Amino acid sequence: MNLNIIGYTIYLLITTFIILKVGKICYRNGNIFVSELIPNHEDLCHQINQILLVGYYLLNLGYCAMTIISWEKIQSFHQLIEIIAFKSAIIICTIATMHYINIILLTKYIKKLI
């Protein structure tokens, strides 16, 4: 049994679920921030938010797929769990960092407009 293929499958399922779930939450709640940037243009704000969501999906799913290249050969189930946990933690930290950077930048931009 090839543990790398099992690891790839589990890793991609976990990270895809996390990325899609966080993307939906940020998309739903992000309309408020985008509409504050461009008041009285609800359609434009909705389209900008959709573009941000697509960019988020492409960046994170692409990064997940690219990290699979750097995996070493998995020899045991213990190593399988360790690698999946470590790689998933990196993705979660990356998503959190990007989210906070976006919030900081949006907040500073809105404060400049006010």
Side-chain angles (χ1 to χ4, degrees):
M1 175 184 338
N2 191 349
L3 292 177
N4 277 50
I5 294 175
I6 294 170
Y8 298 157
T9 305
I10 294 170
Y11 170 73
L12 287 175
L13 286 173
I14 290 171
T15 54
T16 302
F17 174 76
I18 291 170
I19 289 168
L20 292 176
K21 190 71 171 170
V22 171
K24 281 184 181 180
I25 292 170
C26 289
Y27 176 75
R28 240 184 307 131
N29 298 329
N31 279 328
I32 297 167
F33 291 106
V34 176
S35 62
E36 282 188 28
L37 291 174
I38 309 170
N40 303 323
H41 292 85
E42 301 250 345
D43 288 339
L44 180 62
C45 293
H46 186 66
Q47 290 173 352
I48 289 172
N49 203 20
Q50 285 179 334
I51 291 171
L52 289 171
L53 180 66
V54 170
Y56 166 82
Y57 285 154
L58 289 174
L59 180 71
N60 286 299
L61 291 174
Y63 179 74
C64 287
M66 292 300 291
T67 58
I68 288 177
I69 295 171
S70 67
W71 283 31
E72 57 195 46
K73 183 156 176 59
I74 300 172
Q75 303 292 334
S76 66
F77 282 105
H78 176 73
Q79 187 182 15
L80 173 71
I81 293 170
E82 181 182 333
I83 289 175
I84 290 173
F86 180 73
K87 297 289 184 175
S88 298
I90 290 173
I91 295 295
I92 292 169
C93 289
T94 303
I95 291 171
T97 303
M98 287 175 41
H99 175 70
Y100 285 115
I101 289 170
N102 283 338
I103 295 296
I104 290 168
L105 292 175
L106 283 174
T107 305
K108 285 186 178 188
Y109 185 73
I110 289 171
K111 284 182 182 177
K112 282 183 183 179
L113 293 177
I114 297 175

